[in-house]
Amino acid sequence: MRLKMCSIHVQDPAVAHSFYTETLGFDTLMTMPEHNLFIVKDPGAGSTVGLLLEPSDNPIASAYSKGLYDAGIPAIVFGTPDVKAEYERLAAAGVQFRSEPAEDPSGMSAVFDDGCGNFIQLHQD
């Protein structure tokens, strides 16, 4: 058994797809705009786990996403070899961070707003 796909609820999957591919640098795994279906994957990876950019139009999903966002809790964690370098790159591209990268017992991390209804945590690998 292996992890095949996970999802993150977003306000607009097409807008999220643009942000996740053009700004964050993920690759497209699958798009079916006529079905509002957008899946991204790690950049440059062959077969990998997909991240479904799921519409948050279900009231349960909407309440959950809003609850996480209002509490400032990241919806997902992305790994990177250098959080500080990624912070600089994304901040220069206009991505809004909650604060500068910081280190705690779990390692170096930073949290940003994806503009699609989520906070995302970057964690150093």
Side-chain angles (χ1 to χ4, degrees):
M1 197 177 319
R2 64 186 170 80
L3 183 62
K4 182 169 182 164
M5 187 177 320
C6 59
S7 67
I8 185 169
H9 288 275
V10 296
Q11 294 162 341
D12 183 329
V15 170
H17 179 259
S18 293
F19 177 77
Y20 279 66
T21 56
E22 296 168 18
T23 304
L24 299 184
F26 283 86
D27 289 339
T28 298
L29 181 62
M30 178 188 298
T31 61
M32 296 175 69
E34 65 277 14
H35 298 289
N36 210 20
L37 176 67
F38 298 87
I39 305 171
V40 296
K41 65 178 186 164
D42 290 346
S47 179
T48 187
V49 175
L51 177 62
L52 172 62
L53 304 172
E54 191 160 357
S56 199
D57 54 1
N58 178 298
I60 296 168
S62 180
Y64 175 74
S65 295
K66 182 180 181 331
L68 285 178
Y69 191 87
D70 289 349
I73 299 172
I76 196 164
V77 178
F78 296 149
T80 181
D82 188 338
V83 167
K84 288 181 181 178
E86 201 64 37
Y87 168 86
E88 295 296 330
R89 180 184 78 82
L90 294 175
V95 174
Q96 298 297 308
F97 279 82
R98 295 190 64 202
S99 64
E100 293 188 12
E103 193 161 2
D104 64 22
S106 72
M108 180 70 66
S109 65
V111 176
F112 67 89
D113 188 326
D114 73 356
C116 303
N118 301 289
F119 287 117
I120 308 295
Q121 181 178 6
L122 292 178
H123 190 269
Q124 194 151 309
D125 294 335

